[in-house]
Amino acid sequence: MSETLFQRIDAEEHAARELLSQLRAKTAEVEERLAALAITRRTATQLLEEVPPEHATEGGPPPKNGSGTPPRPSMDDASETVRPPGPLTELNRKIVTLVASADRPMSPKDVVIPLVDKSAPRTEIERMRHRLNRLVTNGYLQQVGRGLYAGAEVTQ
């Protein structure tokens, strides 16, 4: 009797592991899709911001730089401007997807545990804090409090 019980437990365990494997694969697909959508939204927003004034207004001359449109940043303002974000690494893409899809702001430790290391040693948390700050600088995330990060809001 105990042999059949253990066989049933083994079969259930195998089925649970198979389901978990399938769910992990599906989760990876959904994370990729979310990251692609976030990039698409950011790109569309940037393109809409770059529309020349003559295309943005109907009729009439485009407004002069001093009458309504913000001046373009000069090279002297480079310290104040955000550098254009480069392509995301796989880990950065996962971080942005995780933080942007969270229902609350996340701390570096909240990000380290599911993505990097379950034990979350201090060195990994500090590396993640640095990485999150770079993602904030590049416009992928926003810092909403001391040590708390959320997805970047896209203004329309």
Side-chain angles (χ1 to χ4, degrees):
M1 178 173 138
S2 63
E3 288 183 31
T4 59
L5 176 62
F6 286 117
Q7 289 173 344
R8 287 177 51 195
I9 291 172
D10 287 342
E12 282 292 320
E13 202 175 275
H14 177 71
R17 290 183 193 280
E18 183 64 32
L19 178 61
L20 183 60
S21 175
Q22 292 170 359
L23 290 174
R24 283 184 177 148
K26 187 66 173 171
T27 300
E29 290 176 25
V30 171
E31 283 179 346
E32 281 186 39
R33 180 70 179 139
L34 282 172
L37 289 170
I39 291 168
T40 301
R41 178 183 298 272
R42 189 176 304 105
T43 302
T45 301
Q46 288 172 348
L47 289 174
L48 289 174
E49 289 173 353
E50 294 173 3
V51 172
E54 57 269 8
H55 291 102
T57 59
E58 293 183 16
K64 301 286 186 223
N65 202 13
S67 64
T69 60
R72 295 178 78 74
S74 68
M75 293 305 283
D76 298 333
D77 299 333
S79 62
E80 297 175 17
T81 60
V82 176
R83 61 190 154 132
L88 288 174
T89 64
E90 183 176 344
L91 179 58
N92 281 350
R93 180 183 50 76
K94 287 181 179 181
I95 292 167
V96 169
T97 303
L98 176 67
V99 173
S101 63
D103 58 351
R104 62 177 175 75
M106 297 184 77
S107 70
K109 184 175 182 177
D110 295 333
V111 179
V112 166
I113 290 172
L115 292 181
V116 180
D117 190 349
K118 305 287 186 237
S119 64
R122 184 150 188 87
T123 55
E124 287 299 326
I125 294 171
E126 290 305 316
R127 275 193 202 117
M128 184 58 66
R129 184 182 322 280
H130 180 70
R131 188 178 290 264
L132 289 166
N133 284 330
R134 274 185 294 162
L135 290 168
V136 167
T137 301
N138 289 338
Y140 289 103
L141 298 175
Q142 63 179 345
Q143 189 166 7
V144 294
R146 186 165 187 234
L148 295 175
Y149 301 86
E153 292 181 12
V154 179
T155 55
Q156 297 179 358

